[in-house]
Amino acid sequence: MAVEEKDRDPHTGYLTTGHEWNGIKELNTPVPRVIYFFLSLAVLFGIGYWILMPAWPTGRSYTKGLLGFDQRLFVTEDVKQAALDRATWTDRIEKESFADIQKDPQLMHDVRETGKALFGDNCAACHGRHATGGKGFPNLTTNSWLWGGSPEQIAETIKVGINSAHPESHTSQMPAFGHDGILQRNDIEKVVAYVRSLSGAGDASADDVKAGQKIFADNCSSCHGDDAKGNSETGAPNLTDRFWIYGGDPQTVYTTVWGGRQGHMPTWEARLSSVQRKILALYVADLRIPDHE
Ligand code: HEC
Ligand code: HEC
C-alpha cells in the first residue's frame, strides 16, 4: 500500500504505472466511461441488426432477418415503374398529334434520345450518323426536301419508301435525257449551265445560260417547277439551293441529266412499329440545322 501511495500523481490523483523516464512518470489513466458507453451501444446495435436485417451467409442462403427486408424488391419496383413510364410516353406518342408532341418539351426530350438510337441503328448507314447524307443520300438536316419536310410527310416517306417494294411507294424518276435521246449533248450542256447558275455558279457563258433556261422550261419545269424550286408531288429536288444529292459540279450534273437518277429508300412499314416511325419522323423534323435553310 505504501508503494501505491507513493506512485499516486499528486496533481491528477491518478496512479502511475511505475514506469519512469528521466523523472517523467507515466500515469495510469482509466478509459473514460463514455467510450465504454458507445462501445456497448455499437455492440447492441450490431446484435439488433443481425436479428432484424439479412446478415449471415448460411451456405446457399443467408439469414433473412425479422424485417424481411430485401433489396431485390426495390429493384423490381423500380423496373416496373420504368416500364410504366415508358408505356405512358410511347402511348402519348401514339395518340397525340405531331404538333402537340412538338409543343411538349418532355416528350421531345424522349423523342430526341430514342430517335437518335433508332436513327443510328436503321438510317445512319445511308444518311450518316448526323443525318447530313453523302453522295446519293440526301442531307436530312436542311430545309430542302424531296417529299416534304413536315413530320407528317417525313413519316409517310419513312413508311412507304422511295422506289421501294411498298405498293404506295413514292416513285422518283429523273428521266435519262441523253441516254434516251430526248436531248442532244450540246443542249444538255446548256441546261446544265443554266441549272448550275441557279445556285450561283458563274462559270458558264451568259448565252449558254439563256439557251439553257429555254430548254429547262420545255423539259424540266414540269417536275422541278418553273422556278426550279422542286416539287414534293414528284419528289423533284430544289435546284436553286446549295444542297445536292449527287453533286453540283458540271460533270456530275451532266451525268444526272444524261443518265437520269432513281434513288432507292427502303420502306420501313414492316421493319419498324408505327410508334418507332413516328418517333423517327419527329426526330428527323427536329434535326433542322438553322444554317441549312
Ligand atoms: C439503303 C439506304 C437508306 C436507308 C437505310 C435509309 N434511307 Fe432514307 N433515303 C435513302 C435515299 C437514297 C433517299 C433519296 C431517294 C431519292 O433520291 O429519291 C432517301 C430519302 C429519305 C427521306 C426523304 C428526304 C426528302 O428530302 O424528302 C427521308 C425523310 C429519309 N430518307 C429518312 C430515312 C430514315 C428515317 C431512315 C431510317 C429509318 C432511312 N431514311 C433509311 C436511302 C436510305
Ligand atoms: C419526270 C420528272 C422530272 C423531269 C422531267 C426532270 N427531272 Fe430532274 N429530277 C427528278 C427527280 C424525281 C429527281 C430526284 C431523283 C432521285 O434522286 O431519286 C431529279 C433530280 C435531278 C437532279 C439532281 C439534283 C441533285 O441534288 O443532285 C438534277 C440536276 C436534275 N434533276 C435536273 C433536271 C433537268 C436539267 C431536267 C430537264 C432536262 C430535269 N431534271 C427533268 C424529276 C424530274
Side-chain angles (χ1 to χ4, degrees):
M1 277 300 143
V3 176
E4 201 183 282
E5 280 307 313
K6 201 175 75 192
D7 284 349
R8 195 174 278 282
D9 175 56
H11 298 292
T12 60
Y14 290 142
L15 292 177
T16 67
T17 57
H19 301 151
E20 184 179 337
W21 294 275
N22 297 335
I24 298 168
K25 290 181 178 170
E26 184 184 19
L27 288 184
N28 190 6
T29 315
V31 177
R33 266 164 208 255
V34 63
I35 299 282
Y36 283 118
F37 174 74
F38 281 114
L39 201 65
S40 325
L41 210 63
V43 170
L44 283 177
F45 175 81
I47 294 170
Y49 198 90
W50 292 344
I51 296 172
L52 295 174
M53 304 295 277
W56 293 101
T58 58
R60 282 165 173 266
S61 179
Y62 56 91
T63 58
K64 300 275 189 316
L66 291 180
L67 292 182
F69 180 89
D70 188 349
Q71 205 82 48
R72 243 178 265 182
L73 291 178
F74 286 86
V75 176
T76 319
E77 253 335 285
D78 281 354
V79 169
K80 264 196 218 148
Q81 189 55 43
L84 203 68
D85 289 348
R86 196 178 162 76
T88 42
W89 88 260
T90 50
D91 265 5
R92 289 186 56 200
I93 295 280
E94 189 155 28
K95 294 201 190 92
E96 291 183 22
S97 73
F98 283 107
D100 284 348
I101 298 169
Q102 282 176 316
K103 272 185 240 139
D104 185 320
Q106 184 54 47
L107 275 183
M108 283 309 288
H109 172 81
D110 294 337
V111 159
R112 282 182 201 111
E113 283 201 345
T114 310
K116 193 175 166 76
L118 282 172
F119 195 90
D121 290 347
N122 298 286
C123 324
C126 289
H127 291 284
R129 182 140 289 279
H130 301 291
T132 45
K135 206 168 160 60
F137 301 105
N139 184 337
L140 302 177
T141 68
T142 78
N143 234 354
S144 178
W145 294 94
L146 299 166
W147 299 98
S150 72
E152 287 84 354
Q153 289 167 315
I154 296 174
E156 178 69 9
T157 303
I158 297 172
K159 180 180 164 193
V160 302
I162 301 167
N163 296 330
S164 78
H166 196 281
E168 289 154 40
S169 170
H170 287 318
T171 310
S172 175
Q173 188 72 35
M174 163 71 197
F177 285 91
H179 181 268
D180 291 346
I182 309 165
L183 289 178
Q184 296 308 306
R185 183 173 289 269
N186 61 345
D187 283 345
I188 295 180
E189 275 163 7
K190 285 175 189 136
V191 82
V192 166
Y194 171 67
V195 165
R196 295 188 65 249
S197 76
L198 295 173
S199 48
D203 50 8
S205 78
D207 284 350
D208 279 359
V209 171
K210 200 156 190 328
Q213 181 168 16
K214 169 96 175 54
I215 299 168
F216 190 90
D218 293 344
N219 295 276
C220 321
S221 57
S222 55
C223 290
H224 288 279
D226 289 336
D227 55 2
K229 292 222 157 114
N231 180 350
S232 59
E233 298 292 310
T234 57
N238 183 344
L239 302 175
T240 68
D241 59 25
R242 61 194 170 90
F243 299 106
W244 298 91
I245 304 171
Y246 303 100
D249 60 287
Q251 186 53 52
T252 307
V253 180
Y254 186 93
T255 306
T256 297
V257 181
W258 173 272
R261 300 283 190 188
Q262 296 82 40
H264 290 273
M265 153 87 175
T267 154
W268 295 92
E269 190 172 32
R271 280 198 263 177
L272 296 173
S273 72
S274 66
V275 171
Q276 286 174 317
R277 280 183 271 121
K278 198 163 174 184
I279 292 170
L280 273 170
L282 286 156
Y283 174 75
V284 170
D286 186 60
L287 283 178
R288 213 67 43 83
I289 296 174
D291 173 44
H292 285 181
E293 292 300 320

